[in-house]
Amino acid sequence: MNGPLRHVTRAACLAWFATRAALADVPVSEPPPSAVPAEPPPSVVVAEPPLATVYAPTTVFAVPPLVIEEASLTDAAGTPTASVFLVERHAAPLVTVELRLATEGLIDGGRITQGAVAALNTVWEGPWSTGPRGAIARMGGKASVDCGWRLCTLTLHTPAAALPEALDAFADLLRAPALDGEALSDWRRDQAERHRYATKNTSVIAAWASTRLLWPGTKRAVAPDARFRAVSAGALEATWRRILAEGQPSIAVAGDTTMATILPLFQADFGHLRGTIGWPVEAGPSLDEERVVLVDVPWTSRPLVRVAWASPGALDPDQPAWQVAWRSLAGGMGARMLARLREADGLLYSMGGDYLEVSATAGWSSLELVVNEADLGAALVALDEELDRLQRDGLAPEELRGAVEGQIGWEALRLLDREALTGHLKRYGDLPVAHFAVRFPTYREVTLEQVNAAARTWLTQPRTWIVVGDRDAIEPVLAKRSESVTQWTACRAVRGRRCR
């Protein structure tokens, strides 16, 4: 116990003992039987000083309901041009705005390279002290951009009182970004370093190998684009103009405002946006066959193991039950995988994992383990045993309670954060906006039978294994598990071609 409470507790204890000693007729240590007072009558209440002050909550913590309002911006003819989603949060006088522009089809194989789009993340914003971005900062706000292979997200954080002026400056920044030449030079140097680093980190290699395996033929770039050296300020400006002209817009807002306040402001500043590139529908991963891929990285003594399998999509009836099963398996410090592989067997160097709802109908789960070479065989056996045990035996009732409460607590954190809220108000193809209303009652109502049935269904799916490490050390271990092991070099995993 630390801080002021420690001193209060100690003082209370000393006062209590002093009071007892002063009132006692005999030493407190061993009173004779004759000195023990008789039991008081029932009507008398004997009160003693408490050992410490107890701080108990006076109200039950309640998460505010997630109510999503939806409206549209329109052009002069009244045709809808952009969707606007709002979650009101009035606890703090702040507003977060995210403007998204769809970019899929423009990047990597289209008319715009991945390298040029990535450069926008650094140079689009311009200096902090000048231009529209500086004006936003002087209002107490912040503007940023994050462009990827599917969309560009422009984010504005601002005090609610400064929202009209901040939106005007944000719109100016949108129309005429400050392409900073010095920042572009810094970005080129950073890309060169990332390009060299791409085949040196086992976790990065495993992630890119997963992309190549699970989304074969995808247009997304899986490694830093070597063409970054050719990116110029003129190319960046042309890239941005095309994104503005063709990327379908969508706006998500969370904070201390109302739809009646923001809609006229957005109409004035962003009503001209009417892109033709629609929102993408994410394809599900290719996880229909059992396979083992060994990526040869001879310089590491700690192999990395990633295993992935198909899981329910966002609107699948099994989604809530599998989410709870996943949390018990690998979703927290008390999860089964950590309890077995790290606490009981001492095999793990590190562990991670995720369950992702890729679309309404498709999802995938993955686990990632880093172990010492000598422990690889035992770790793979323990991993198989825990997956099979959950599939066969299911959860115990106490595990269900812990997993449900953990999931609800995690969802509650998202509800209370403006940035997390706007991040969930995305409109990806077949996911309706109603999906983003967090389903506390759904998790509460999940039964043990439903969770165990979902575990039986989804843990029998074919698994893709990716093992990154020294081939000479780990090939004998993998040969005992599978007759067919595909072998890649690190360069193939990252760039899809042989090392030079």
Side-chain angles (χ1 to χ4, degrees):
M1 188 179 298
N2 296 315
L5 185 58
R6 178 186 61 188
H7 303 293
V8 171
T9 304
R10 185 171 182 272
C13 290
L14 292 174
W16 183 74
F17 284 116
T19 303
R20 289 290 300 270
L23 295 178
D25 295 328
V26 296
V28 176
S29 57
E30 192 65 40
S34 60
V36 177
E39 290 291 328
S43 60
V44 178
V45 178
V46 178
E48 292 185 346
L51 292 179
T53 303
V54 178
Y55 296 93
T58 56
T59 58
V60 177
F61 175 76
V63 176
L66 180 61
V67 179
I68 303 173
E69 299 177 61
E70 182 174 1
S72 296
L73 305 184
T74 59
D75 59 16
T79 304
T81 57
S83 297
V84 179
F85 304 102
L86 170 67
V87 174
E88 294 187 27
R89 285 288 182 264
H90 300 289
L94 301 168
V95 178
T96 296
V97 178
E98 285 193 1
L99 169 64
R100 298 184 182 87
L101 297 165
T103 57
E104 188 175 31
L106 301 178
I107 298 173
D108 192 29
R111 290 159 293 184
I112 300 175
T113 68
Q114 175 73 17
V117 172
L120 285 169
N121 297 341
T122 298
V123 303
W124 175 88
E125 299 163 339
W128 275 96
S129 57
T130 62
R133 190 167 180 240
I136 293 171
R138 288 189 291 275
M139 297 175 199
K142 179 183 177 183
S144 61
V145 64
D146 181 16
C147 283
W149 74 278
R150 299 179 70 225
L151 58 91
C152 276
T153 302
L154 297 93
T155 305
L156 170 68
H157 305 291
T158 178
L163 181 60
E165 295 81 8
L167 278 176
D168 288 343
F170 194 52
D172 290 341
L173 194 57
L174 183 74
R175 287 188 288 266
L179 300 177
D180 188 343
E182 183 177 350
L184 180 58
S185 298
D186 293 341
W187 175 81
R188 287 197 187 99
R189 286 193 295 270
D190 179 64
Q191 286 297 297
E193 189 63 32
R194 288 189 65 222
H195 202 62
R196 288 190 291 269
Y197 180 72
T199 57
K200 300 298 182 184
N201 182 283
T202 55
S203 183
V204 173
I205 292 170
W208 284 329
S210 297
T211 301
R212 299 199 62 81
L213 278 171
L214 304 185
W215 283 271
T218 181
K219 289 184 177 180
R220 72 176 75 185
V222 296
D225 194 331
R227 292 171 290 180
F228 64 84
R229 299 178 184 85
V231 174
S232 64
L236 285 178
E237 186 171 351
T239 295
W240 183 245
R241 298 298 175 200
R242 190 174 292 279
I243 291 173
L244 279 182
E246 300 187 31
Q248 180 177 324
S250 177
I251 304 173
V253 187
D256 186 18
T257 188
T258 64
M259 187 65 80
T261 299
I262 62 174
L263 202 58
L265 299 174
F266 288 157
Q267 184 66 51
D269 287 326
F270 309 120
H272 64 284
L273 299 175
R274 52 179 62 82
T276 58
I277 300 297
W279 288 95
V281 177
E282 176 74 71
S286 176
L287 287 164
D288 53 357
E289 61 177 320
E290 193 88 16
R291 53 191 166 181
V292 180
V293 176
L294 190 165
V295 182
D296 185 20
V297 180
W299 55 83
T300 181
S301 61
R302 290 197 178 104
L304 181 146
V305 179
R306 174 174 284 199
V307 56
W309 63 94
S311 300
L315 301 185
D316 192 299
D318 274 352
Q319 189 278 335
W322 173 250
Q323 182 72 75
V324 172
W326 169 259
R327 179 156 290 275
S328 178
L329 176 70
M333 295 302 293
R336 283 186 173 198
M337 284 296 178
L338 282 175
R340 167 69 188 277
L341 276 80
R342 185 179 68 182
E343 305 301 333
D345 297 350
L347 299 174
L348 287 183
Y349 182 76
S350 66
M351 174 182 162
D354 208 352
Y355 160 45
L356 298 174
E357 306 159 12
V358 177
S359 68
T361 58
W364 66 304
S365 300
S366 65
L367 288 168
E368 184 174 291
L369 316 177
V370 178
V371 299
N372 290 320
E373 282 180 349
D375 297 329
L376 177 61
L380 291 175
V381 170
L383 181 57
D384 273 333
E385 288 178 351
E386 286 304 311
L387 293 174
D388 293 341
R389 184 167 72 91
L390 180 57
Q391 183 269 329
R392 182 184 64 250
D393 302 333
L395 299 184
E398 59 273 15
E399 288 181 296
L400 176 65
R401 288 192 295 271
V404 168
E405 293 302 323
Q407 183 63 29
I408 289 175
W410 182 77
E411 298 277 5
L413 291 177
R414 300 195 300 178
L415 274 180
L416 297 174
D417 181 73
R418 296 188 328 280
E419 293 182 55
L421 276 173
T422 55
H424 289 314
L425 295 180
K426 299 174 181 177
R427 199 165 198 174
Y428 282 162
D430 56 349
L431 286 185
V433 68
H435 165 69
F436 300 104
V438 178
R439 296 167 291 185
F440 287 156
T442 305
Y443 293 124
R444 290 279 190 201
E445 294 164 5
V446 166
T447 66
L448 188 63
E449 291 74 19
Q450 290 172 329
V451 172
N452 291 342
R456 285 192 296 271
T457 298
W458 297 102
L459 286 174
T460 55
Q461 302 297 313
R463 297 169 191 166
T464 292
W465 297 82
I466 299 172
V467 183
V468 181
D470 185 354
R471 182 181 62 187
D472 293 339
I474 65 180
E475 189 174 26
V477 177
L478 296 183
K480 298 177 182 178
R481 297 179 53 83
S482 175
E483 296 180 357
S484 176
V485 178
T486 303
Q487 296 194 9
W488 284 4
T489 63
C491 290
R492 175 169 172 74
V494 173
R495 292 195 289 268
R497 57 185 173 82
R498 297 288 180 183
C499 293
R500 295 178 179 177

